[in-house]
Amino acid sequence: ARHTPRDLLANLALYRDDAERFSEEIDREYYLHYSGRQESFEIEEIYERHAELFSRATVEELRAAADAAEGDDRRPHRYLLEFAFHGHLGRALKAEAAELAQLEASLELDAGGEPIPYRAVPVALANEPDAQRRAAVELARDELLAERLNPLHRVMLERTHELARDLGWASYRAACEELSGIDLGDVARQAREFVAATDDAYAALADPALERAGVPALGELRRSDLPRFFRAPGLDDDFGRDDLVPAFERTLSGLGIDLGGQDNVHLDTESRPTKSSRAFCATPRVPDEVYLVISPVGGRDDYEALFHEGGHVEHFAHVDPGLPMEYRRLGDNTVTESFAFLIEHLTEDPEWLTERLGVIDPAPVVSHARAVKLVMLRRYAAKIAYELELHDAAAPLDAMPARYAELLAGSTRVEWPRESWLADVDPAFYVACYLRAWALETSWHRALRDRFGARWFESPEAGEWLHGLWRQGQRLDGATLLEQTLGEELDFRVMADEFVHIPV
């Protein structure tokens, strides 16, 4: 049934019910399309069925309700306002989003040889041993991106900025900062300090791992080489394809979790031509229906992807079903990303490698993983700086491709093409959630080792401790959850300490 904004907001339970139905429908559509099971991406009808959730009047009334609320009562109102704001943008851009997704699923690039599906390029780069061939594939992908996809990306970006201002915020950045409650400027400051703190250690940690992977050193490395570096083919003997899911099952079993007995969890590891190369977790119904989707490449990278998304899956699968919708589905994604990084971290833990995979000498795996993590952290430090500029009210968009390449290359010391200046941007400053989650995961990992020992992954008691955190969904933001659980502040210096052992 259709409801007016006043109907919905007079009874928040009614708004929550409608919001939950919308979320289920849209998440299932994302799952079906990006898993490659369905070519169409029919989000327009879904948005129209739930149009009043995201009307301007609804956003304005939710904003007034959030402003009027005090103390802890403000949190659920802010979560629902953030949901309505981004839904308002999503509804306005639904046609472009559907066109973009269908283009990505249908486009192929010609770099000589067999055509490569656009979404399969990262897999092709990861499995290509020849550096010149990798460069040719990426060049063809970038040309296709610039010609066919970037015009749509730009329309969506400009419209996003316009809509945020039309709703009364000074800029898209200002809206995201207010709605998320995250001080984005402080995240960028801490990220800059992290890059400065790790500058001297960067090449010493990265170059030996790059050499072992058979790719150039920093300064000569190209972005097209990174998927091959992450793939780490020299470590394949330690990460067999057939043991991928069983290793995950054994790990959960050690924590007292029976994956096979979780009727609410569904693993999708099949390869499909139009399946997204980016692993993801889909949550049509939390905690009752959760999907883990990966597109296997082979080797260590598959384990990282599966365990990362497995962390999301177990978090959402254990959420207290009695929590209101906004605490089960919404809130600060720093929280769920921290649990994803925590489970992913096991794939570089020497104790886990020995006990769960039977790796005789885990040192090469550990050193490779540390190098990869440092590259990624420095890349995301550059991304937060770039996105703050991109989404600022005064951003000159024509200058941003060059700025993107400059910032990314400067932080990573990797030759970085400018064509991804729009495709490499996630909505709502999700980059900040990733950075904060890496820091939060460091605290969770340290607490687990202190409380349950180096082999905490073999402790059902550790699983119970995690279950207690998972049950809360995202009721609290990452910083508050950390303070209430461990009495600590969310501080990026704990990450730098992993690489340079500075005092914190």
Side-chain angles (χ1 to χ4, degrees):
R2 291 273 183 170
H3 303 288
T4 69
R6 288 191 180 277
D7 289 337
L8 291 170
L9 298 176
N11 182 350
L12 275 183
L14 184 62
Y15 187 88
R16 290 186 183 106
D17 288 346
D18 276 18
E20 187 120 51
R21 281 192 290 272
F22 166 81
S23 298
E24 178 179 345
E25 292 174 25
I26 205 79
D27 278 15
R28 184 168 286 110
E29 190 71 11
Y30 270 89
Y31 164 67
L32 291 172
H33 177 75
Y34 284 100
S35 68
R37 291 180 178 274
Q38 172 181 293
E39 182 175 348
S40 63
F41 189 52
E42 299 177 2
I43 61 171
E44 295 180 69
E45 292 182 4
I46 298 172
Y47 271 103
E48 286 313 303
R49 281 199 297 272
H50 302 276
E52 289 304 333
L53 286 171
F54 312 118
S55 70
R56 179 182 182 125
T58 300
V59 174
E60 290 173 345
E61 292 210 26
L62 278 170
R63 192 176 188 187
D67 289 343
E70 297 180 356
D72 289 343
D73 289 341
R74 191 171 189 273
R75 185 182 297 120
H77 288 87
R78 180 167 59 80
Y79 287 1
L80 292 172
L81 171 59
E82 185 177 24
F83 168 79
F85 170 82
H86 291 296
H88 180 82
L89 271 56
R91 181 176 175 236
L93 296 167
K94 60 187 185 300
E96 291 84 355
E99 182 180 355
L100 190 64
Q102 288 166 359
L103 268 175
E104 287 182 354
S106 63
L107 289 175
E108 293 183 330
L109 57 96
D110 182 6
E114 292 294 320
I116 301 172
Y118 180 85
R119 286 184 178 162
V121 168
V123 176
L125 294 175
N127 287 318
E128 176 55 61
D130 182 79
Q132 295 308 313
R133 171 66 180 166
R134 290 196 298 268
V137 169
E138 175 151 291
L139 178 61
R141 190 264 305 274
D142 288 344
E143 290 175 347
L144 199 60
L145 174 62
E147 179 183 349
R148 299 294 304 278
L149 301 175
N150 274 353
L152 262 177
H153 277 299
R154 180 154 181 169
V155 167
M156 295 174 72
L157 175 72
E158 292 176 336
R159 183 70 175 131
T160 294
H161 289 175
E162 178 186 335
L163 287 165
R165 292 191 298 269
D166 186 54
L167 287 170
W169 279 276
S171 66
Y172 181 67
R173 169 188 172 171
C176 291
E177 197 157 39
E178 177 185 323
L179 295 173
S180 69
I182 296 173
D183 185 340
L184 297 173
D186 185 64
V187 174
R189 176 190 62 78
Q190 291 200 65
R192 284 195 304 273
E193 291 174 356
F194 172 85
V195 169
T198 58
D199 265 341
D200 292 340
Y202 187 34
L205 286 170
D207 282 345
L210 291 165
E211 182 178 3
R212 286 192 297 271
V215 297
L218 294 174
E220 300 176 5
L221 194 67
R222 294 178 286 199
R223 191 186 64 173
S224 57
D225 298 318
L226 286 176
R228 185 65 173 175
F229 172 49
F230 299 154
R231 168 76 173 75
L235 301 175
D236 278 1
D237 289 345
D238 292 329
F239 294 92
R241 180 186 289 267
D242 292 341
D243 199 32
L244 176 62
V245 174
F248 183 58
E249 291 175 333
R250 291 195 301 272
T251 300
L252 293 182
S253 178
L255 292 167
I257 301 169
D258 177 14
L259 181 63
Q262 288 183 294
D263 294 336
N264 54 340
V265 172
H266 309 274
L267 270 65
D268 184 339
T269 61
E270 297 177 19
S271 295
R272 303 184 189 95
T274 60
K275 191 176 190 179
S276 172
S277 63
R278 188 171 183 175
F280 65 96
C281 167
T283 57
R285 293 183 297 139
V286 178
D288 297 326
E289 184 184 356
V290 183
Y291 293 90
L292 191 167
V293 184
I294 67 165
S295 186
V297 176
R300 173 188 166 278
D301 214 22
D302 283 349
Y303 282 72
E304 276 203 342
L306 177 67
F307 278 61
H308 182 94
E309 298 308 321
H312 284 304
V313 163
E314 292 304 323
H315 175 214
F316 288 118
H318 283 87
V319 168
D320 180 354
L323 288 174
M325 174 267 186
E326 57 268 31
Y327 293 157
R328 284 183 289 112
R329 304 195 64 103
L330 309 179
D332 179 10
N333 285 325
T334 296
V335 175
T336 191
E337 290 297 346
S338 76
F339 297 130
F341 284 133
L342 176 68
I343 303 303
E344 176 190 334
H345 189 118
L346 288 171
T347 64
E348 62 190 74
D349 184 296
E351 298 282 349
W352 182 89
L353 290 163
T354 300
E355 295 301 317
R356 287 289 179 262
L357 291 191
V359 176
I360 296 172
D361 179 15
V365 177
V366 174
S367 61
H368 177 85
R370 289 182 74 219
V372 167
K373 184 175 182 178
L374 187 52
V375 171
M376 291 297 292
L377 282 165
R378 292 174 66 96
R379 170 170 127 73
Y380 274 78
K383 271 171 59 67
I384 184 68
Y386 166 69
E387 292 182 23
L388 284 175
E389 292 187 21
L390 178 71
H391 292 308
D392 188 83
L397 290 187
D398 288 341
M400 296 314 294
R403 186 64 176 147
Y404 166 77
E406 175 189 3
L407 286 169
L408 270 290
S411 186
T412 63
R413 303 180 199 170
V414 176
E415 181 184 337
W416 213 273
R418 62 178 62 191
E419 287 83 359
S420 297
W421 71 287
L422 293 169
D424 191 25
V425 175
D426 293 318
F429 286 95
Y430 206 91
V431 58
C433 293
Y434 281 130
L435 287 165
R436 284 158 48 87
W438 267 305
L440 183 53
E441 180 275 332
T442 302
S443 292
W444 296 148
H445 183 250
R446 185 171 55 197
L448 284 162
R449 289 179 65 91
D450 289 346
R451 295 176 185 216
F452 306 105
R455 297 183 182 180
W456 61 267
F457 52 85
E458 295 181 336
S459 168
E461 291 78 14
E464 281 299 313
W465 188 78
L466 286 171
H467 189 184
L469 293 174
W470 293 340
R471 278 184 60 81
Q472 300 181 57
Q474 297 192 145
R475 181 177 64 87
L476 302 176
D477 65 83
T480 304
L481 182 63
L482 177 62
E483 195 280 327
Q484 290 192 6
T485 305
L486 300 179
E488 300 177 6
E489 293 185 6
L490 192 60
D491 192 325
F492 287 15
R493 286 179 294 174
V494 297
M495 297 191 296
D497 189 44
E498 290 186 51
F499 304 103
V500 296
H501 304 293
I502 62 172
V504 296

